[in-house]
Amino acid sequence: MSNQTDQAFLESALSFFPHLSSAEKNLLLQNTAAVSYKKGSSIHRADYKCLGLLLVKSGSLRVYIMSEDGKEITLYRIYPGELCILSASCVLSSITFDVYIDAVEDSQVLQVSSSVISLLMHDNIYVEAFANRAAAERFSDVMWAMQQILFMSFDRRLAIFLLDESASLGTDRLTLTHEQIAKLMGSAREVVTRMLKYFSQEGYVALSRGSVTLLDKKALRKLADTQP
Amino acid sequence: MSNQTDQAFLESALSFFPHLSSAEKNLLLQNTAAVSYKKGSSIHRADYKCLGLLLVKSGSLRVYIMSEDGKEITLYRIYPGELCILSASCVLSSITFDVYIDAVEDSQVLQVSSSVISLLMHDNIYVEAFANRAAAERFSDVMWAMQQILFMSFDRRLAIFLLDESASLGTDRLTLTHEQIAKLMGSAREVVTRMLKYFSQEGYVALSRGSVTLLDKKALRKLADTQP
């Protein structure tokens, strides 16, 4: 890696960096690449080559699981400044499951090769602690998603989803089809359509082809805060 | 802790032990207690005092989550020789969710106080790496449970559950009520009763008050191996 900005970004994101020897630092920097992914492209899945650690510079990634009949459940998303450890699960003995990772938008990431992560983890306890801490943090994200999916009523989940998307994109008009919302929420299109129709009748949202506009965020927030 | 057997057990289970200073070793041993829990007793929940790390000597524990309306989902179980880190989640900044832990049978555990775990994690990187690795390993267990619950058909799940219980207890006669099976599987009693009745009609199991006897394990195994 030759870019000074990328290098500074990498050093600040990887808290184990000060604990590396000079040789280890060089090895890490020489085996980190800046990579661009187009919106919607598949970055990682079980049958791809093991990628290594990803650090998001811009854009966002979605991490999900898929059933054998194609049903998807979103586990969490990864935003700029955050890192993805499950793309290096091949070198983490504690992680025995596999996930899919897609680019939600055009995204730029720094990729540290899995063989270097493996080597550093083996030789340097700070790298091992870092990698497992990063995994444990995502465990918390996944538990949140799991409780949402298993315990929460669907109207509440949809209200939270719409408010989160609106806040994250900074707009009240979400250009998403019902199919896309269903996929992102790990639900079925019919269920999303039915609930959006209800939200629209209540005046919470306005629906048009390929988009949902939030009209009454106060009402949606009230729904989102309701105890199930 | 004065018991030599307990001390040897603790040392072999905690792989960071050789990396502790003499003072740290003494601190750990002085703040570890042997505790017995009766079958069915509640060991840990969000509103209890933070317990610390548990190491199971005998019996077994069940770790689960519960919805606000009382629905339970079993995440995993902890058997002799295994440890429980989520009972020390208060001192793990990476873990932000809470779980319930019950004793499935009469159980004996070694308990390392949370304040000592916290202190050692802060001062010794090997302890921090160990704790986060233990959490990441349970992440894998939870992902397995989640995929089962979200993706797998109920007949297959029930067949797997019955075979697992039978293998783990070493008997074909399981003394479990439908209510208990439902609780352990994170399902509803009605659903369990319906499927057990079907299994019984097919000759896979025999039902009697408070027990299920496996009659045709070959058929159950075939069901368990079926792709969903």
Side-chain angles (χ1 to χ4, degrees):
Chain A
M1 190 170 44
S2 51
N3 185 318
Q4 289 293 318
T5 318
D6 281 357
Q7 188 171 327
F9 184 56
L10 192 74
E11 289 183 25
S12 72
L14 304 179
S15 61
F16 59 75
F17 205 84
H19 297 284
L20 298 179
S21 68
S22 299
E24 287 172 333
K25 283 180 186 171
N26 283 335
L27 184 71
L28 179 73
L29 295 173
Q30 278 159 19
N31 288 281
T32 300
V35 184
S36 296
Y37 290 100
K38 282 280 164 206
K39 177 177 175 169
S41 60
S42 170
I43 297 176
H44 172 83
R45 39 188 288 177
D47 52 355
Y48 287 7
K49 190 172 148 288
C50 184
L51 211 52
L53 191 134
L54 305 180
L55 183 60
V56 177
K57 284 165 62 186
S58 66
S60 63
L61 315 183
R62 181 171 74 98
V63 178
Y64 60 101
I65 52 176
M66 202 192 298
S67 69
E68 289 173 48
D69 57 356
K71 185 181 169 196
E72 296 180 5
I73 307 272
T74 299
L75 299 177
Y76 54 85
R77 290 155 189 245
I78 306 173
Y79 294 103
E82 296 181 347
L83 61 88
C84 180
I85 191 73
L86 293 188
S87 49
S89 62
C90 56
V91 298
L92 273 172
S93 62
S94 53
I95 300 295
T96 57
F97 58 93
D98 230 308
V99 295
Y100 293 75
I101 305 171
D102 287 356
V104 178
E105 314 158 63
D106 288 350
S107 301
Q108 291 190 297
V109 305
L110 295 182
Q111 267 174 223
V112 186
S113 88
S114 57
S115 56
V116 167
I117 291 294
S118 172
L119 201 81
L120 292 178
M121 273 183 71
H122 183 266
D123 291 350
N124 190 314
I125 185 72
Y126 289 90
V127 181
E128 205 214 314
F130 178 88
N132 279 304
R133 194 186 319 120
E137 281 165 6
R138 293 309 182 175
F139 186 5
S140 297
D141 291 339
V142 166
M143 287 302 298
W144 188 85
M146 185 169 171
Q147 300 201 26
Q148 268 223 329
I149 293 166
L150 295 174
F151 292 153
M152 209 182 280
S153 60
F154 190 73
D155 55 347
R156 191 176 167 205
R157 284 183 57 210
L158 184 58
I160 291 174
F161 173 83
L162 295 174
L163 290 168
D164 279 357
E165 285 294 306
S166 162
S168 136
L169 298 171
T171 170
D172 287 347
R173 188 171 177 277
L174 309 174
T175 51
L176 288 167
T177 65
H178 300 187
E179 184 72 44
Q180 286 171 317
I181 294 174
K183 210 166 202 179
L184 293 170
M185 292 184 65
S187 181
R189 191 193 52 73
E190 297 72 22
V191 178
V192 170
T193 297
R194 197 185 316 132
M195 192 60 75
L196 279 176
K197 202 173 158 192
Y198 166 76
F199 279 12
S200 150
Q201 285 161 351
E202 296 291 308
Y204 302 165
V205 302
L207 304 177
S208 62
R209 196 176 178 80
S211 82
V212 178
T213 305
L214 280 60
L215 297 179
D216 188 348
K217 288 206 271 192
K218 204 173 151 190
L220 287 172
R221 276 196 203 100
K222 201 175 154 194
L223 198 56
D225 289 339
T226 310
Q227 296 310 311
Chain B
M1 190 168 46
S2 51
N3 185 318
Q4 289 293 318
T5 319
D6 281 357
Q7 187 170 329
F9 183 56
L10 191 75
E11 288 184 25
S12 73
L14 305 180
S15 62
F16 59 75
F17 204 84
H19 296 283
L20 298 180
S21 68
S22 298
E24 288 172 333
K25 282 179 188 171
N26 283 334
L27 185 70
L28 180 74
L29 294 173
Q30 279 159 17
N31 289 280
T32 299
V35 183
S36 296
Y37 290 100
K38 283 280 162 206
K39 177 175 177 171
S41 61
S42 171
I43 298 176
H44 172 83
R45 40 187 290 177
D47 52 355
Y48 286 9
K49 191 172 147 286
C50 184
L51 212 53
L53 191 134
L54 305 181
L55 183 60
V56 177
K57 284 165 62 185
S58 67
S60 63
L61 315 183
R62 180 171 75 98
V63 178
Y64 60 100
I65 51 176
M66 201 193 297
S67 68
E68 290 174 45
D69 57 354
K71 186 180 170 196
E72 296 180 5
I73 307 270
T74 299
L75 299 177
Y76 53 85
R77 292 160 189 241
I78 306 174
Y79 294 104
E82 295 182 346
L83 61 88
C84 179
I85 190 72
L86 292 189
S87 49
S89 61
C90 55
V91 298
L92 274 171
S93 61
S94 52
I95 299 296
T96 57
F97 58 93
D98 230 306
V99 296
Y100 292 75
I101 305 173
D102 287 357
V104 178
E105 314 159 64
D106 287 349
S107 302
Q108 291 190 297
V109 305
L110 295 181
Q111 267 174 225
V112 187
S113 87
S114 56
S115 56
V116 167
I117 292 293
S118 173
L119 201 80
L120 293 178
M121 275 183 70
H122 183 266
D123 291 351
N124 191 314
I125 184 73
Y126 288 91
V127 182
E128 204 214 315
F130 178 88
N132 278 304
R133 194 187 319 119
E137 281 166 6
R138 294 307 183 176
F139 187 6
S140 296
D141 291 338
V142 166
M143 286 303 297
W144 186 86
M146 186 170 169
Q147 300 199 29
Q148 268 223 331
I149 293 166
L150 295 173
F151 292 154
M152 206 180 281
S153 60
F154 190 74
D155 56 348
R156 192 177 167 204
R157 283 182 59 208
L158 184 58
I160 291 175
F161 173 84
L162 295 174
L163 291 167
D164 279 355
E165 286 293 308
S166 162
S168 137
L169 298 171
T171 171
D172 287 349
R173 186 168 179 279
L174 309 174
T175 50
L176 287 168
T177 64
H178 299 189
E179 184 71 44
Q180 286 170 317
I181 295 175
K183 210 165 201 179
L184 293 169
M185 293 183 66
S187 182
R189 192 195 51 74
E190 298 72 23
V191 178
V192 170
T193 298
R194 198 186 315 131
M195 192 60 76
L196 279 176
K197 201 173 160 192
Y198 166 77
F199 279 12
S200 150
Q201 285 161 353
E202 296 291 308
Y204 301 164
V205 300
L207 303 179
S208 61
R209 196 174 178 79
S211 83
V212 178
T213 305
L214 280 60
L215 297 179
D216 189 348
K217 287 206 272 192
K218 204 173 151 191
L220 287 171
R221 277 197 202 96
K222 202 174 154 195
L223 197 57
D225 289 338
T226 311
Q227 295 310 308

